[in-house]
Amino acid sequence: MDDAARADAAERARSMRPALDARGVRLVALTWVDNSGITRTKAVPVDRLDSAAAWGVGASPCFDTFLFNDIGMTSGAVGDLRLHPDLGKLTVLAAQPGWAWAPADRYGQDGAVHPGDQRGLARAAVRRLAERGYTAKAAFEVEWVAGEARDNADGEDFRPAVHGPAYGHARLVSRSDYVRDVAVALADQGVAVDQIHPEYSPGQFEVSVAAADPVGAADDYVLVRETIRAVSHRHGLRASFAPKVVADGVGNGGHVHLSVWDGDHNLYSGGDGRFGLTGKGESFAAGILERLPALLAIGAPSVASYLRLVPQHWAGAFAVWGLENREAALRLVTGPAGSREWAANLEAKCFDQTANPYLLVAALIFAGLAGLAADATLPDPVDVDPALLSDEERQRRGIRRLPGSLNESTAAFAADPVLTDAFGERLTSDVLAVRRGEIEHFAGAAPDEIVAALRWVH
Ligand code: GLU
Ligand code: MG
């Protein structure tokens, strides 16, 4: 960021001022997501937005190794980073009157992008994809469990805000105003809701939003979850995005939909491969499938993630792909005939919302690019629930379980040259420090304790 860029950013912020004033905005929250998947923030009065745009807002680098419990794995006493709002994404918040929000990019004081900046890595991944001549679209599905808010300490018993059958309309009836307010707030913020519905577990809902460019999809994901949180508070509720809200229930996934495009041609439709796959689309998918164990350290990065990632919970616990197979980690979604050109995509189901979405889209793109570079091909698709096959049959078909612990996926990530090269030394070591810190924190803990400790933090 040079002097001209700083002057432009300040000018742009000043030009936005009348519109922000007209909508009563007094404060702007600048968020980034740390390596534990927690959205952290600093806010500036709207008067200071031009200065924040030009010079950034100070923040310690210590957050790069913060664990979920706010304990840092490295000292943050020395050093300063600058949070710069992405003004193009500035959004007036519908459920926090007087507030606006913008995702932040983190720079060093020298004006260069901080090497530990997760959003910066996502932008770099998109550039690398563009160098190969492709673009991508992504969308994150958000599942959450609404609980009764009470004045008790974190981690205490959980009381679902709504009961009734899974996917039952009764749940929408009993929380009609709440669900409407979530959808309306998102729409007022310019987020296009595709659908919203009650999910399987007591208190659980899900919202799907339209696909966007990968960085935009990660930004939307942050905004959607913070909006759900804000609307929940206004209704006297609390939202949990944790992989497991109660140890023996069905968890919250954070499925990622991804499609790759050559101009306006979707690589997941109209090809002569299986189910309309193009060769390039297949190679990209194969690069992801092959690296799923390592990708889990980014997309299922909590000890609690592995309480969710079990067979027969639609969490995608097997390292296989399949057409519309909800027990496959990679589900190929073609959409109904007539919509395929624009609708076909890959859905990675094994991930959850403890992931940093910027790191996750970046890692998926880097894995896909490695598949493209190697002309990788996909094995046979799986069209059954792998849990229903015998051990011998799974072995015969080469069906493997995904890692069953954060320990295993962290080891796979550390040993993966493609991902660690792409992340660079700084992010790789930060990510590994945070994963190992969480593993150590929960060593010997029972599922109930893990679930209680992580229920409300993400
Ligand atoms: N809640 C499931 C999960 O943990 C996903 C259910 C669905 O397929 O929507 O991923
Ligand atoms: Mg769902």
Side-chain angles (χ1 to χ4, degrees):
M1 172 153 295
D2 58 19
D3 288 350
R6 291 187 197 278
D8 277 358
E11 186 44 42
R12 185 163 183 207
R14 281 192 286 273
S15 75
M16 297 168 82
R17 195 54 203 282
L20 295 175
D21 286 345
R23 299 185 63 187
V25 172
R26 304 297 300 273
L27 284 155
V28 183
L30 276 48
T31 62
W32 77 102
V33 183
D34 72 12
N35 291 316
S36 290
I38 292 173
T39 301
R40 310 268 177 190
T41 195
K42 290 235 171 155
V44 292
V46 73
D47 286 341
R48 301 290 298 159
L49 185 63
D50 55 349
S51 157
W55 299 104
V57 175
S60 163
C62 70
F63 298 107
D64 285 343
T65 60
F66 254 37
L67 300 187
F68 75 92
N69 57 0
D70 302 337
I71 306 284
M73 298 303 290
T74 49
S75 164
V78 178
D80 189 42
L81 297 172
R82 311 300 302 176
L83 301 173
H84 286 256
D86 182 338
L87 294 175
K89 295 292 172 69
L90 192 136
T91 304
V92 178
L93 295 176
Q96 288 178 257
W99 286 86
W101 161 88
D105 292 308
R106 296 185 303 153
Y107 287 77
Q109 287 192 331
D110 57 0
V113 176
H114 170 46
D117 187 49
Q118 299 85 353
R119 195 168 185 264
L121 186 75
R123 290 190 287 133
V126 169
R127 280 197 302 273
R128 281 266 290 277
L129 190 62
E131 282 160 22
R132 288 291 310 254
Y134 301 113
T135 57
K137 285 190 199 174
F140 287 83
E141 283 181 15
V142 173
E143 295 185 329
W144 80 98
V145 172
E148 301 281 357
R150 286 180 298 164
D151 292 329
N152 57 16
D154 283 352
E156 288 196 12
D157 287 353
F158 159 76
R159 278 193 312 192
V162 58
H163 296 273
Y167 303 87
H169 188 68
R171 291 202 199 168
L172 287 189
V173 174
S174 66
R175 286 290 177 184
S176 171
D177 294 352
Y178 171 59
V179 178
R180 178 206 59 218
D181 286 354
V182 169
V184 169
L186 291 173
D188 287 352
Q189 293 170 178
V191 178
V193 172
D194 276 350
Q195 62 161 290
I196 188 160
H197 65 267
E199 253 286 344
Y200 192 88
S201 283
Q204 195 176 33
F205 295 98
E206 173 175 334
V207 64
S208 318
V209 302
D213 68 280
V215 178
D219 291 335
D220 285 350
Y221 183 61
V222 171
L223 180 60
V224 167
R225 296 195 312 162
E226 295 313 317
T227 302
I228 291 168
R229 203 187 315 275
V231 173
S232 301
H233 278 292
R234 295 176 82 77
H235 282 264
L237 304 176
R238 262 178 134 179
S240 172
F241 302 97
K244 278 278 186 165
V245 182
V246 288
D248 54 2
V250 166
N252 289 317
H255 308 176
V256 186
H257 292 263
L258 192 66
S259 55
V260 182
W261 297 69
D262 181 356
D264 53 12
H265 181 217
N266 182 349
L267 299 187
Y268 291 98
S269 88
D272 47 18
R274 289 162 285 186
F275 317 120
L277 282 176
T278 65
K280 299 289 183 199
E282 173 169 350
S283 293
F284 192 92
I288 292 173
L289 182 64
E290 180 192 335
R291 282 190 177 71
L292 280 179
L295 287 166
L296 284 179
I298 305 304
S302 166
V303 169
S305 300
Y306 299 83
L307 300 174
R308 163 187 171 263
L309 192 56
V310 293
Q312 303 207 291
H313 284 63
W314 288 10
F318 290 94
V320 299
W321 75 287
L323 178 67
E324 297 293 3
N325 186 343
R326 287 184 176 75
E327 285 292 343
L330 270 192
R331 169 188 175 202
L332 177 66
V333 180
T334 56
S339 74
R340 292 186 175 152
E341 261 170 57
W342 47 269
N345 67 82
L346 287 175
E347 179 187 25
K349 293 184 69 80
C350 48
F351 304 132
D352 65 63
Q353 296 172 72
T354 55
N356 177 313
Y358 302 102
L359 290 184
L360 184 51
V361 289
L364 287 167
I365 291 172
F366 288 125
L369 280 168
L372 275 176
D375 284 327
T377 53
L378 285 167
D380 288 339
V382 171
D383 63 359
V384 292
D385 175 355
L388 300 178
L389 302 174
S390 66
D391 284 346
E392 297 75 53
E393 182 62 9
R394 276 197 295 269
Q395 208 166 3
R396 196 186 64 74
R397 295 200 197 184
I399 297 177
R400 286 173 302 130
R401 259 291 253 128
L402 283 170
S405 71
L406 183 58
N407 218 348
E408 262 180 77
S409 59
T410 300
F413 175 76
D416 188 308
V418 166
L419 294 178
T420 53
D421 280 1
F423 273 49
E425 255 170 61
R426 170 66 191 248
L427 258 171
T428 298
S429 77
D430 288 347
V431 164
L432 290 176
V434 170
R435 301 296 173 267
R436 288 168 181 157
E438 188 172 318
I439 291 166
E440 194 174 325
H441 177 90
F442 284 119
D448 277 338
E449 291 170 60
I450 299 166
V451 166
L454 287 158
R455 187 178 286 135
W456 303 114
V457 291
H458 285 91

